[in-house]
Amino acid sequence: MWFEFSPAPRPDDGDDRDAYRRRAANAAARLGLASRPSIDTLAQAFRRDDGCILVANGARRFLCLPDGADPSAADALARAADATARECAPPDIPPDLVWSHAFVPQGATISRTAFDEPDKDDDVRLDPPAGQWVVVNVRRMGWLESRRSKNWLGDEFNMAPDTSKLQKAGVGVCRVSVGDRDGRESHRAVEQAANALDLGVTPGFASHTSRPAWGAVACMIPVVAVAFAGFMAFGWPVWVLPAPILGLFAAVARLAVTPRDAAVWQRPRHWWGLTRYRQAQSADLKTRNSGDDLEAFGPHRKRRVHAYAFQRSTLPVPPTALAALARPSASRLSQGAALTVRPVGLETADGPRLGRDADGRDVRLASNVLYGGVVLLGRPGGGKSNSMHGLERWASEHAGPGDAMVVFESKGVSSIPVLKRLMPRLLVVDVADPATPMIDLLGPGTPAERGERFASLMRAALGDEQVGPASRLAIRDAVALALTVMPAPRFADRCRAAGLTPPDTWPAFARIILAGDGVSSARALAHAAVLTGGPDVAAMVERLHGAVNPKTGRPAVSDGELVKRLAAPMNKMDLLARCPGVFAPGRRTVGWRQVIAHGATLAVNLGGTVRAPHATLGDDQRSMVGALLLRSLRGQMESSCAGWYDEGRHMRVFVDEMTEVLSGGGNEEVFRWCRTQGRAFGVEMTCGTQFPENLNPSLFSLLMDFDTRCTFVMRSVASSTQAGQALGVDPSMVSSLGEHMLLVRTVDADWNTLPPMVVRTPWFDNGEPA
């Protein structure tokens, strides 16, 4: 079974050494390197179902598992190597390569300071050119090799051998070979590949040209020559000749049928002979504290110590080194983050489609975890809106008779036609177009009740810093005053008598009464209102402008003081008054209660109008209206959607660009409510933003607590760093995502956190199914 490894985002533990070693040890155990046949499983020693063959060619990594091995071992090794494994055909290794293998020179020793650490994203152990093939054939260590290795390490370190990484669980042995068209290059490369194991062997490794099956021929030729010499010169009997000749013929026949790629399949050889020793040196007589041991110069001093425990071409390989060799190079690929394979936990997912994995299979979210929230990050033009449209289309297609859906769309003329094509049932509220209905921000009731409701909505949406208690009261009275006196029959005449053009909308009235056109206009409008209304109107005017001295007829509050008092609420109402299309006279209104009650699929367009000429709102105006709309929707959801989760109903809310509905810090509470309490009301929140660094840190932290977090490519350091840290990957992965590639962190249907994955997003806007 062959598998190819593709780079994947690094897990949350990053450069954690212990986590890296645990993953590597688990992979070695799955490969059978940590097991030993017992008396009951002695036959396993002859089945050769342990180990693996690792092949490196350029940035590509291939893994071959023996027949009968556990396929999950490939996934375990891939996780340890920050990669994903997918089954593939055997690699096409050219037949005309010159193969070399590494070996340990005579008298080599081992260093005490060799450690395996996690490699950085731009650092890989093996980095061969595309025309060069590195093969590491791994098997488990035999019983004799284990004993000899322990004795060898004990003498090398002059201490307990268990302190060496070569005595940890899962250490195997390997043969390192390199194939290249140039024999000199293969020798140089195989020595570098052997040194990449980081065994600490000094002074280093040497190399031989690999000639599989030539050894038997080389051994039989002198045997045949001796037999012929004895027969001819010394009169040996003729029956001496057939056996050597047959042996030579057999060796030649074996050489003839040996495949050209035999070096790929050459397993590490065992050393079955006597234990090797070498002459002790002065360094072998040192204690751990660098002093001579007690018998260094005595009659019982060590004269011989254990030498290299394995056959010269057989090299020990710790699990961490094996994982490091298997790690593919992301920097050598066209994209820094390659597509990953769909996690097992999403194989039966029935939710919206995110994209396709490395094998071309659909990757979907689990529908039951959508209550946990979905957040999409991505720079302008990165594909965020296309994916948002796919999520919205799936929600529309899977809406039940009692479900409702609201989309806050920011791109206007470029997105609304696409959404109407994908969702034929879609209704549109074009905020800047008075020809379409508008969401009622005042609600039903008396003017006083509606003014109170709007002022509370304004403070909740914009936050206490922008609308304090005094400003809220001023907005309340200004709106209530407008709603009370503007419908009066003679109000317009009294305004003209006072030298004023009658305001045609309640935001315009509130702006003027709050001194938006100066104090004189504000007092003139207040006088016209008092003449039109009754004592309630006079009380509201007095709360806004102060009392009037009955003796002198002069106001108790000076003009300068009045401007200071009304400046803060006037600024807010001034923004609304400069949105004439939003609050145009006679424009139809619809309440959120009706939208939810009728199970509507509604898009609220905060961008440019769909109908030409394409009018648009200013940035401040758009964000204020968006904030008011989202906040009023949150209040209505709490009122209308109680118990929806138990009833199996859904209230789905999509926000294409969060900055369009965050005029201040008040609406942070909306997202917190959706995350912590929205599930009971059937609320599923999906939101996106282009620049995460522009969000309040507490709000961004809240969004990153959503169960599904996705990001497209982020080029800027600030954006990629923040997104990478939030998703638990290296920021370079975020900044090097390819076009139409999405990095996803989500959970399965059982709410188990899945590792980061990279998928390719379909072209939902062109009609690909969601």
Side-chain angles (χ1 to χ4, degrees):
M1 293 181 293
W2 282 93
F3 300 85
E4 184 173 4
F5 285 2
S6 299
R10 304 197 75 173
D12 283 341
D13 49 64
D15 292 337
D16 187 341
R17 300 178 185 178
D18 292 335
Y20 169 66
R21 289 170 182 146
R22 284 195 299 271
R23 296 196 305 269
N26 176 60
R30 294 289 186 89
L31 292 168
L33 302 181
S35 63
R36 295 291 182 270
S38 66
I39 191 66
D40 297 325
T41 60
L42 192 59
Q44 290 184 4
F46 305 99
R47 287 215 311 260
R48 292 193 173 183
D49 59 352
D50 60 291
C52 64
I53 299 176
L54 181 65
V55 179
N57 174 239
R60 307 183 73 181
R61 298 293 183 270
F62 300 92
L63 178 73
C64 179
L65 297 182
D67 294 337
D70 183 4
S72 64
D75 294 326
L77 184 59
R79 284 193 296 272
D82 298 334
T84 56
R86 63 184 183 91
E87 197 165 352
C88 66
D92 187 15
I93 301 177
D96 56 345
L97 300 179
V98 179
W99 289 90
S100 301
H101 64 270
F103 70 93
V104 178
Q106 188 74 28
T109 59
I110 189 167
S111 167
R112 303 181 185 184
T113 59
F115 296 99
D116 281 304
E117 308 297 346
D119 296 296
K120 302 297 182 184
D121 284 332
D122 56 352
D123 180 25
V124 291
R125 296 288 186 92
L126 293 180
D127 194 19
Q132 196 173 87
W133 296 80
V134 180
V135 176
V136 182
N137 198 318
V138 185
R139 63 165 171 83
R140 63 174 157 234
M141 199 182 297
W143 179 71
L144 282 175
E145 288 173 320
S146 299
R147 290 190 59 187
R148 289 169 177 166
S149 174
K150 198 176 191 71
N151 294 333
W152 168 57
L153 292 171
D155 276 355
E156 286 290 325
F157 291 151
N158 198 8
M159 58 191 291
D162 292 341
T163 58
S164 170
K165 66 179 180 180
L166 299 182
Q167 279 296 305
K168 304 298 181 184
V171 175
V173 290
C174 70
R175 179 184 177 93
V176 181
S177 304
V178 170
D180 196 287
R181 298 185 187 278
D182 188 337
R184 291 173 299 179
E185 284 297 314
S186 69
H187 278 274
R188 181 188 59 81
V190 77
E191 292 167 7
Q192 291 181 350
N195 282 313
L197 292 172
D198 195 23
L199 299 177
V201 173
T202 55
F205 294 92
S207 60
H208 276 315
T209 300
S210 295
R211 297 181 176 89
W214 274 101
V217 176
C219 290
M220 292 309 301
I221 289 176
V223 173
V224 172
V226 169
F228 265 103
F231 174 75
M232 300 296 295
F234 301 106
W236 289 2
V238 69
W239 54 262
V240 174
L241 297 178
I245 292 174
L246 288 176
L248 179 59
F249 283 157
V252 172
R254 177 171 173 262
L255 176 62
V257 299
T258 299
R260 300 292 297 273
D261 63 347
V264 176
W265 309 100
Q266 178 67 59
R267 281 181 53 103
R269 291 172 175 153
H270 280 277
W271 172 253
W272 300 105
L274 299 175
T275 303
R276 290 194 183 102
Y277 288 93
R278 63 175 175 82
Q279 193 69 29
Q281 303 170 6
S282 60
D284 298 309
L285 308 178
K286 299 296 183 181
T287 65
R288 293 186 64 183
N289 296 324
S290 300
D292 294 329
D293 95 7
L294 297 179
E295 292 293 335
F297 303 101
H300 302 295
R301 72 179 185 273
K302 290 191 292 185
R303 287 178 169 80
R304 291 199 312 161
V305 295
H306 289 84
Y308 187 65
F310 311 99
Q311 187 158 326
R312 299 298 182 194
S313 61
T314 299
L315 312 177
V317 53
T320 42
L322 180 61
L325 295 180
R327 189 170 189 269
S329 171
S331 62
R332 295 287 296 274
L333 298 176
S334 58
Q335 298 101 3
L339 299 178
T340 59
V341 178
R342 182 180 65 191
V344 176
L346 296 182
E347 288 184 352
T348 59
D350 58 347
R353 185 161 72 123
L354 292 177
R356 293 182 290 270
D357 71 351
D359 293 333
R361 300 175 299 176
D362 285 344
V363 178
R364 293 182 176 273
L365 294 176
S367 60
N368 66 306
V369 306
L370 296 178
Y371 292 106
V374 180
V375 60
L376 284 168
L377 308 177
R379 66 184 180 89
K384 178 174 62 64
S385 293
N386 174 70
S387 288
M388 186 72 77
H389 295 166
L391 296 172
E392 292 162 358
R393 180 182 181 183
W394 181 91
S396 174
E397 292 174 346
H398 291 77
D403 296 347
M405 174 177 161
V406 176
V407 177
F408 289 91
E409 180 58 58
S410 301
K411 292 187 172 58
V413 66
S414 63
S415 286
I416 294 299
V418 174
L419 291 178
K420 289 184 72 68
R421 187 178 72 249
L422 298 179
M423 299 180 287
R425 296 175 52 244
L426 183 71
L427 305 175
V428 178
V429 168
D430 213 336
V431 170
D433 186 358
T436 66
M438 177 60 187
I439 301 297
D440 186 6
L441 297 177
L442 300 174
T446 65
E449 292 172 343
R450 300 174 79 190
E452 179 71 33
R453 185 181 298 114
F454 179 79
S456 298
L457 173 64
M458 180 78 81
R459 186 178 187 189
L462 306 187
D464 293 344
E465 293 185 1
Q466 293 199 46
V467 181
S471 294
R472 190 191 75 83
L473 294 176
I475 293 173
R476 178 200 66 183
D477 288 333
V479 173
L481 189 61
L483 298 175
T484 301
V485 302
M486 285 182 64
R490 302 189 60 186
F491 171 69
D493 295 337
R494 289 191 171 96
C495 287
R496 284 189 284 269
L500 295 174
T501 301
D504 55 353
T505 64
W506 60 266
F509 182 103
R511 171 183 171 274
I512 296 173
I513 203 72
L514 293 172
D517 285 345
V519 175
S520 60
S521 297
R523 295 195 188 278
L525 183 60
H527 180 68
V530 170
L531 294 177
T532 303
D536 291 339
V537 171
M540 287 187 283
V541 169
E542 184 173 332
R543 287 196 295 269
L544 286 171
H545 292 176
V548 176
N549 192 319
K551 295 181 179 180
T552 63
R554 295 180 177 275
V557 179
S558 67
D559 290 357
E561 183 64 28
L562 184 61
V563 169
K564 292 180 181 179
R565 177 192 293 185
L566 300 179
M570 185 277 294
N571 289 333
K572 306 302 179 296
M573 296 309 300
D574 181 59
L575 285 175
L576 293 182
R578 288 190 282 112
C579 305
V582 178
F583 306 100
R587 184 172 186 179
R588 293 173 296 159
T589 59
V590 61
W592 285 124
R593 184 176 62 82
Q594 289 90 340
V595 172
I596 297 174
H598 289 85
T601 300
L602 177 70
V604 179
N605 177 28
L606 297 170
T609 59
V610 178
R611 188 170 59 92
H614 305 298
T616 186
L617 302 177
D619 292 341
D620 292 340
Q621 297 165 318
R622 187 166 59 249
S623 63
M624 174 176 283
V625 174
L628 294 173
L629 289 171
L630 180 63
R631 182 68 192 201
S632 60
L633 174 61
R634 175 254 187 268
Q636 192 61 54
M637 288 190 298
E638 191 170 22
S639 174
S640 299
C641 302
W644 274 30
Y645 179 76
D646 295 332
E647 299 172 9
R649 300 174 64 183
H650 304 84
M651 178 66 224
R652 297 185 171 104
V653 181
F654 295 85
V655 180
D656 179 67
E657 177 51 59
M658 292 186 59
T659 56
E660 303 287 354
V661 294
L662 291 174
S663 181
N667 273 351
E668 180 178 334
E669 189 274 337
V670 175
F671 295 95
R672 179 172 290 104
W673 179 84
C674 290
R675 179 69 182 93
T676 58
Q677 303 178 48
R679 180 175 182 176
F681 298 87
V683 176
E684 296 178 0
M685 171 68 78
T686 301
C687 53
T689 188
Q690 295 179 351
F691 304 105
E693 67 272 18
N694 291 343
L695 299 179
N696 183 288
S698 62
L699 175 58
F700 184 76
S701 176
L702 172 65
L703 293 177
M704 291 305 106
D705 190 44
F706 278 21
D707 287 327
T708 301
R709 293 103 66 196
C710 314
T711 182
F712 287 92
V713 62
M714 296 276 195
R715 300 298 185 194
S716 73
V717 175
S719 298
S720 62
T721 299
Q722 194 163 357
Q725 291 174 349
L727 270 71
V729 300
D730 193 282
S732 63
M733 281 291 179
V734 180
S735 62
S736 59
L737 285 167
E739 189 177 10
H740 309 306
M741 296 177 71
L742 182 66
L743 176 61
V744 182
R745 198 69 189 267
T746 187
V747 297
D748 61 18
D750 297 323
W751 305 90
N752 299 311
T753 301
L754 298 175
M757 55 184 173
V758 179
V759 300
R760 185 174 298 281
T761 57
W763 192 4
F764 295 114
D765 288 354
N766 196 42
E768 288 203 40

